Amino acid sequence: MSHYFDNDPNVKSERENFDYFYRDNKLSLQTDHGVFSKGKIDFGSDLLISTFLNANPPGPKKKILDVGCGYGPIGLMCAKVLPYSEITLVDVNERALDLAKDNQKSNKISNANIQVSNCLDAVLDLKFDCVLTNPPIRAGKEIVHQILEQSNDVLSSGGELWVVIQKKQGMPSAKKKMQDLYGNAETIEKSKGYYILKSVKA
């Protein structure tokens, strides 16, 4: 059994295209078997994108990290809407990363860098102003909490961690972990059982 958080090249490929909009910004995206949310944007990612971008309109340059980027909707939409910012997208699934790179090219996005990483292992020497994640819940609580911990390592002082997670899939324990790590954890938005949580690094 293959999961979207695995790197399994043996899953049959059958790419599918769809358009995704945030306000008047459009991304034409390719998805495939073996990646999360094939064929349409998932509700949680859409909620995270709209909530984050509503709170962070275009302005001064920021360094933003999208952890578990999949085929790239969160990071690439941030890159499109925030042209002065630098967006880094990471995932362990190489098929997802190939899709994200193709989606970056087809949407002519130049301010994004896409690379393979197990959680945040490949970017621990970098610093970011914001980390965004729709964490791979099915990979298990240990992986989700590792992402929360490593985000604390890469955030600059005053930097923000934004997480989307369903209440029934571990929101209370994730929020407690964020509170323990950062000393704060705020519910910014909630809809249909999904919560947008934010912590700010001191």
Side-chain angles (χ1 to χ4, degrees):
M1 180 70 181
S2 178
H3 293 283
Y4 63 86
F5 51 82
D6 295 328
N7 184 32
D8 184 356
N10 299 314
V11 178
K12 181 186 170 198
S13 178
E14 189 180 338
R15 288 195 173 194
E16 189 175 320
N17 297 286
F18 72 98
D19 291 337
Y20 173 56
F21 293 86
Y22 166 75
R23 296 186 178 175
D24 57 354
N25 299 279
K26 172 183 159 184
L27 289 177
S28 294
L29 297 169
Q30 291 189 68
T31 66
D32 202 347
H33 293 304
V35 301
F36 179 61
S37 194
K38 178 179 187 275
K40 66 178 176 60
I41 190 85
D42 64 289
F43 184 86
S45 292
D46 180 54
L47 186 65
L48 178 58
I49 290 164
S50 60
T51 305
F52 176 77
L53 289 174
N54 289 348
N56 293 273
K61 173 180 173 182
K62 289 183 177 177
K63 292 192 174 183
I64 298 171
L65 176 65
D66 174 9
V67 181
C69 67
Y71 53 83
I74 296 172
L76 294 179
M77 187 59 86
C78 287
K80 181 147 195 169
V81 176
L82 308 173
Y84 301 113
S85 291
E86 289 179 12
I87 319 297
T88 301
L89 296 82
V90 297
D91 203 300
V92 73
N93 181 324
E94 294 199 21
R95 176 174 290 184
L97 292 172
D98 287 342
L99 286 161
K101 289 172 183 175
D102 287 347
N103 288 332
Q104 178 185 9
K105 285 179 197 160
S106 64
N107 288 281
K108 298 181 170 59
I109 291 169
S110 59
N111 57 326
N113 172 52
I114 299 166
Q115 64 186 95
V116 65
S117 180
N118 181 29
C119 296
L120 282 74
D121 289 355
V123 293
L124 289 175
D125 58 337
L126 303 177
K127 287 293 178 190
F128 297 94
D129 301 300
C130 301
V131 176
L132 282 67
T133 186
N134 183 351
I137 300 301
R138 290 178 195 163
K141 180 176 174 180
E142 188 176 322
I143 293 294
V144 173
H145 284 201
Q146 183 178 338
I147 290 171
L148 303 180
E149 290 167 2
Q150 290 185 317
S151 296
N152 191 39
D153 296 332
V154 302
L155 279 169
S156 301
S157 179
E160 299 174 350
L161 169 63
W162 292 70
V163 180
V164 61
I165 188 166
Q166 287 192 69
K167 185 171 186 179
K168 67 183 182 183
Q169 291 187 327
M171 184 281 293
S173 71
K175 189 171 186 180
K176 182 181 185 302
K177 182 71 172 177
M178 291 166 68
Q179 179 71 42
D180 291 345
L181 285 165
Y182 297 86
N184 62 89
E186 184 182 356
T187 299
I188 302 296
E189 184 64 79
K190 55 184 174 181
S191 181
K192 298 183 180 177
Y194 287 83
Y195 285 67
I196 305 296
L197 306 177
K198 183 180 88 167
S199 289
V200 181
K201 183 170 179 178

